[in-house]
Amino acid sequence: MAWKGLHITNPARLSLAEGQCCVRQEAGEVQISIEDLAYVVIDTPQATLSSALLSALMSAGVAVVVTDEKHTPSGIALPFHRHHLQGAVARLQIDAKESLKRRMWQSIVRTKIVNQSAALALSGCDEAPTLKEIARHVEPGDPENVEARAARFYWQRLFADFTRGDEQDRRNKLLNYGYAVARAGVARALVASGLLPVFGLKHDGAANAFNLADDLVEPFRPFVDLLARKTFDNGDKTGDLTVEDRRAMAGVLNLNANIGQESVALLVAAEMSAASLVRAIEHGQPALLDLPALASAP
């Protein structure tokens, strides 16, 4: 199914009308089938959303993302009980052996680094194959933190004169916005598969309600990185994100990804990855975990 996302940046009132999401703005009114929506990003302080619509969105499994005063995604609403075997899946997840979780984390990190290599190749970097070699050295649980070594190599080559974490750099703002949207898509997929996002494979923050989402989103990050690179396009390094910037990064879940033998939207890839994670846990076989591969530029 071709899911749609709704990104609200102008003053609007969102309500439920005849089973559809009704968006009223100064320019007029549109109605969107809730069944076609995967996520809604409320990216303006001048939007209202009726409780009836919110309830309908939750019932349909739609992720609702809200932003703060700086237009940075700051929260997400997710539905409860989206899977007919949620209790059984949750028990499998909680009882999963540490050895299995370490091997799945190995697969996640390796796929992330291979996708970083593809991102560099698509950016014209001749050193991209080095990351594939680095990925080969990731062991179960990544005790040597190969992921961090790959990251240092990667960021130095993806962007010129760039420091990840520099809050004034517009490129980091683009990345953080895209990561938040990708994380919301992954969290939505996990809930839909009956998994509990709070219990991670590697991440285990006591105050983090989305540890598992933070695990599974890792291979999705290079998709965001390429989109941020394209959106930045050697523009100003400082300054706030424009509406066009935010709208572009909110579209990350519509990018194409390869997973298994299929080419699908990244949002669908998240659903397939979450479903495969359940199978891998159920059968105790990390090889059953399917993760998205970056094969083409956004």
Side-chain angles (χ1 to χ4, degrees):
M1 179 176 180
W3 294 104
K4 297 178 182 178
L6 183 59
H7 189 230
I8 304 296
T9 58
N10 293 318
R13 172 167 173 75
L14 286 75
S15 60
L16 185 66
E18 298 179 351
Q20 299 196 67
C21 175
C22 178
V23 182
R24 294 185 180 90
Q25 295 181 306
E26 187 175 318
E29 176 183 311
V30 295
Q31 291 190 1
I32 305 168
S33 173
I34 292 177
E35 294 181 352
D36 293 341
L37 285 174
Y39 63 92
V40 176
V41 180
I42 307 296
D43 193 359
T44 172
Q46 296 174 297
T48 59
L49 188 151
S50 72
S51 59
L53 176 61
L54 183 59
S55 177
L57 292 173
M58 293 300 97
S59 295
V62 179
V64 179
V65 181
V66 295
T67 63
D68 60 20
E69 67 279 1
K70 296 182 179 179
H71 299 283
T72 300
S74 59
I76 178 174
L78 290 171
F80 289 130
H81 312 305
R82 286 294 302 155
H83 194 276
H84 66 289
L85 293 176
Q86 177 144 23
V89 172
R91 281 192 293 273
L92 285 172
Q93 178 186 356
I94 294 170
D95 293 340
K97 295 181 178 179
E98 289 300 320
S99 59
L100 175 62
K101 291 192 283 187
R102 288 196 299 269
R103 290 170 67 193
M104 289 193 292
W105 181 244
Q106 176 189 30
S107 179
I108 287 171
V109 173
R110 280 184 173 176
T111 302
K112 175 186 179 180
I113 297 174
V114 169
N115 282 346
Q116 288 176 328
S117 174
L120 288 185
L122 289 165
S123 301
C125 177
D126 295 335
E127 298 178 86
T130 301
L131 278 176
K132 286 189 176 181
E133 178 60 28
I134 291 176
R136 292 180 56 250
H137 297 279
V138 179
E139 299 295 331
D142 193 19
E144 301 299 324
N145 202 8
V146 175
E147 180 186 14
R149 178 155 59 94
R152 287 192 294 271
F153 182 94
Y154 175 67
W155 290 118
Q156 291 172 2
R157 289 156 181 81
L158 185 66
F159 292 120
D161 187 25
F162 175 74
T163 301
R164 182 73 182 112
D166 180 355
E167 295 182 359
Q168 302 306 313
D169 194 319
R170 179 167 152 259
R171 292 169 292 185
N172 275 313
K173 295 177 182 179
L174 289 167
L175 291 168
N176 292 338
Y177 198 102
Y179 290 155
V181 173
R183 185 183 190 232
V186 169
R188 169 188 175 275
L190 293 171
V191 170
S193 291
L195 293 159
L196 300 177
V198 68
F199 297 113
L201 303 173
K202 181 72 172 181
H203 291 83
D204 63 352
N208 185 4
F210 297 99
N211 286 305
L212 188 58
D214 289 337
D215 289 330
L216 198 62
V217 79
E218 293 297 345
F220 293 77
R221 290 182 181 272
F223 292 85
V224 177
D225 303 341
L226 263 185
L227 183 58
R229 190 176 190 274
K230 177 183 177 182
T231 303
F232 175 69
D233 194 24
N234 295 317
D236 293 335
K237 285 182 59 178
T238 59
D240 294 329
L241 298 184
T242 66
V243 171
E244 290 74 20
D245 288 336
R246 304 196 308 269
R247 188 169 293 142
M249 297 312 300
V252 67
L253 294 173
N254 294 324
L255 299 180
N256 289 329
N258 287 347
I259 184 165
Q261 302 300 315
E262 298 184 59
S263 177
V264 298
L266 203 61
L267 183 64
V268 177
E271 295 176 341
M272 295 173 70
S273 291
S276 74
L277 177 57
V278 174
R279 293 194 297 271
I281 294 173
E282 182 180 9
H283 297 284
Q285 297 182 19
L288 294 177
L289 179 60
D290 289 328
L291 298 167
L294 179 58
S296 60

